């Protein structure tokens, strides 16, 4: 929220970006480990206008303090200290809310804390071994001093591809159009999804351990299953736009505590290849040889919300 300064509208915030932390939890018998790796960004809205106008820094929570904590000031930072204090496994969403509550409750100057986390996809391959996956789990918690909450989670880099059951036809044509109609093509995309939860205060979120981690995995499954269809028959995609809408609608239908979802799905092209043989004859493409490309690509995105909901 801006304020009037010398007849002008002024707004400000400050924070700390890309604080990296890994946390390992071990079962009581030491036989099973659980690991997360998070990249944390913290942004504070606070009453520190004097630092901008009057060279007075007495109301600033130093960005280094966002690392440094009162208890561990000499050896750690807030992110690390709070991760250490979490003796039980928790989700990225719960950790973001915990950090945001810390800054809004401990510092009188801070009116709102915005905490964003990107989680690397470490996947278990043995009792205490992991491999790095591809797509990332993201979350953003905006917490006000009053306890009001806006919680958004998402997924980045979910690469999916199917070699059939996709087409594109009946689109507008002009003198620059060279793309032919087709009912058989490769469909590839890298899904970025953001969904906003309907919880409006920190006291209203579910207290079930790893609730948001499980919800993330469930939403990812719905998105993937809708993209591909059933294992036996699949599902035909008349366009990326149509598939995107079906994925968004399936998410809202399946999860009542999701208020809105935004999807971005670039159309990553696999171009049919026709080759010439030694006699100069064209060897026709037959849905079998393609030139993969990543640039340029189509850009398709849309959001879907329940009534009176905004992402």
């Amino acid at each position: 929220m801006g304020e009037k300064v010398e007849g002008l509208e002024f707004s400000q915030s400050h924070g700390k970006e890309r604080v990296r932390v890994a946390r390992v939890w071990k079962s009581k018998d030491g036989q099973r480990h659980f690991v997360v790796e998070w990249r944390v960004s913290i942004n504070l809205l606070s009453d520190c206008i004097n630092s901008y106008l009057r060279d007075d820094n007495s109301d600033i929570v130093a960005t280094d303090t966002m690392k440094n904590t009162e208890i561990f000031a000499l050896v750690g930072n807030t992110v690390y200290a709070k991760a250490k204090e979490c003796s039980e496994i928790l989700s990225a969403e719960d950790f973001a809310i915990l950090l945001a509550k810390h800054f809004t409750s401990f510092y009188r100057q801070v009116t709102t804390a915005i905490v964003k986390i990107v989680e690397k996809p470490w996947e278990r391959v043995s009792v205490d071994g992991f491999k790095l996956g591809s797509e990332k789990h993201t979350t953003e918690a905006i917490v006000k001093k009053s306890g009001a909450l806006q919680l958004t989670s998402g997924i980045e880099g979910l690469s999916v591809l199917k070699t059939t059951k996709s087409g594109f036809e009946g689109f507008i044509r002009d003198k620059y159009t060279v793309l032919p109609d087709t009912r058989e093509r490769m469909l590839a995309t890298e899904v970025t999804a953001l969904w906003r939860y309907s919880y409006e205060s920190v006291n209203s979120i579910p207290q079930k351990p790893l609730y948001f981690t499980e919800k993330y995995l469930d939403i990812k499954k719905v998105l993937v299953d809708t993209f591909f269809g059933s294992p036996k028959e699949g599902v035909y995609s008349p366009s990326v736009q149509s598939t995107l809408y079906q994925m968004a609608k399936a998410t809202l239908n399946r999860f009542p505590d999701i208020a809105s979802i935004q999807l971005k799905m670039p159309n990553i092209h696999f171009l049919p290849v026709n080759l010439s043989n030694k006699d100069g004859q064209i060897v026709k493409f037959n849905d079998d040889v393609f030139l993969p490309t990543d640039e340029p690509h189509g850009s398709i995105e849309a959001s879907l919300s329940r009534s009176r909901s905004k992402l």
Side-chain angles (χ1 to χ4, degrees):
M1 179 70 69
E3 54 186 303
K4 289 285 187 180
V5 173
E6 298 175 353
L8 303 171
E9 287 287 339
F10 179 70
S11 61
Q12 54 79 28
S13 66
H14 67 288
K16 198 76 171 181
E17 298 283 336
R18 294 177 175 269
V19 180
R20 298 180 61 182
V21 58
R23 178 63 157 102
V24 178
W25 289 275
K26 302 177 181 179
S27 60
K28 292 182 179 180
D29 60 8
Q31 297 301 307
R32 189 169 179 84
H33 297 175
F34 184 90
V35 64
V36 294
E37 182 180 345
W38 290 325
R39 188 178 75 229
V40 183
S41 297
I42 303 165
N43 201 24
L44 303 182
L45 281 62
S46 59
D47 299 325
C48 61
I49 195 170
N50 286 336
S51 66
Y52 292 89
L53 304 185
R54 301 177 183 88
D55 301 330
D56 179 357
N57 297 330
S58 59
D59 286 331
I60 290 182
V61 180
T63 60
D64 190 61
T65 302
M66 296 177 199
K67 292 191 307 175
N68 296 336
T69 183
E70 308 76 38
I71 301 174
F72 295 89
L74 298 178
V75 295
N77 31 69
T78 303
V79 173
Y80 303 131
K82 292 299 179 183
K84 175 66 176 178
E85 291 172 9
C86 296
S87 58
E88 300 294 329
I89 298 171
L90 79 168
S91 66
E93 286 84 355
D94 286 322
F95 190 62
I97 292 170
L98 183 151
L99 286 174
K101 286 172 62 178
H102 167 78
F103 288 109
T104 55
S105 62
F106 191 84
Y107 300 101
R108 64 172 179 80
Q109 301 90 342
V110 175
T111 58
T112 302
I114 303 170
V115 179
K116 298 180 181 180
I117 296 178
V118 177
E119 179 176 320
K120 274 193 171 182
W122 289 106
E123 301 170 356
R124 183 179 303 281
V125 294
S126 64
V127 172
D128 56 359
F130 300 83
K131 73 177 182 68
L132 186 60
S134 55
E135 66 276 356
K136 294 181 174 64
H137 175 186
T138 67
T139 192
E140 177 187 73
I142 302 176
V143 176
K144 296 183 180 295
K145 193 177 286 291
S146 64
L149 169 69
Q150 182 173 312
L151 181 63
T152 305
S153 293
I155 188 167
E156 290 181 356
L158 176 60
S159 297
V160 287
L161 176 154
K162 60 182 182 179
T163 57
T164 189
K165 295 279 187 176
S166 174
F168 190 55
E169 55 188 341
F171 47 88
I172 294 174
R173 293 187 171 279
D174 58 29
K175 64 181 181 179
Y176 302 109
T177 304
V178 296
L179 184 69
D181 284 358
T182 181
R183 289 188 60 83
E184 184 66 27
R185 66 169 182 171
M186 296 266 275
L187 177 57
T189 188
E190 186 175 280
V191 180
T192 299
L194 289 173
W195 53 88
R196 187 171 65 81
Y197 289 98
S198 56
Y199 308 110
E200 296 183 347
S201 74
V202 295
N203 295 323
S204 66
I205 61 173
Q207 297 304 304
K208 178 183 176 182
L210 292 181
Y211 174 84
F212 292 109
T213 299
E214 294 175 4
K215 185 59 66 74
Y216 165 78
L217 295 173
D218 290 342
I219 292 173
K220 181 171 71 169
K221 186 176 188 304
V222 167
L223 293 173
V224 170
D225 288 351
T226 307
F227 179 87
F228 288 110
S230 68
K232 289 186 177 180
E233 293 84 17
V235 63
Y236 180 72
S237 170
S239 66
V240 178
Q241 287 86 342
S242 174
T243 297
L244 182 154
Y245 176 75
Q246 294 301 324
M247 292 165 68
K249 186 172 71 169
T251 302
L252 292 188
N253 288 342
R254 174 67 175 78
F255 304 103
D257 58 348
I258 301 296
S260 55
I261 182 168
Q262 178 180 335
L263 286 169
K264 183 175 182 180
M265 294 171 52
N267 189 6
I268 301 174
H269 302 300
F270 281 70
L271 305 178
V273 174
N274 292 319
L275 302 174
S276 298
N277 62 20
K278 62 180 182 178
D279 299 321
Q281 296 175 328
I282 299 297
V283 180
K284 290 292 186 180
F285 164 76
N286 191 29
D287 301 327
D288 52 5
V289 180
F290 299 84
L291 171 63
T293 67
D294 54 8
E295 295 178 349
H297 57 67
S299 178
I300 297 101
E301 57 185 293
S303 59
L304 192 64
S305 304
R306 303 187 194 279
S307 298
R308 301 168 64 183
S309 175
K310 294 176 65 178
L311 186 67

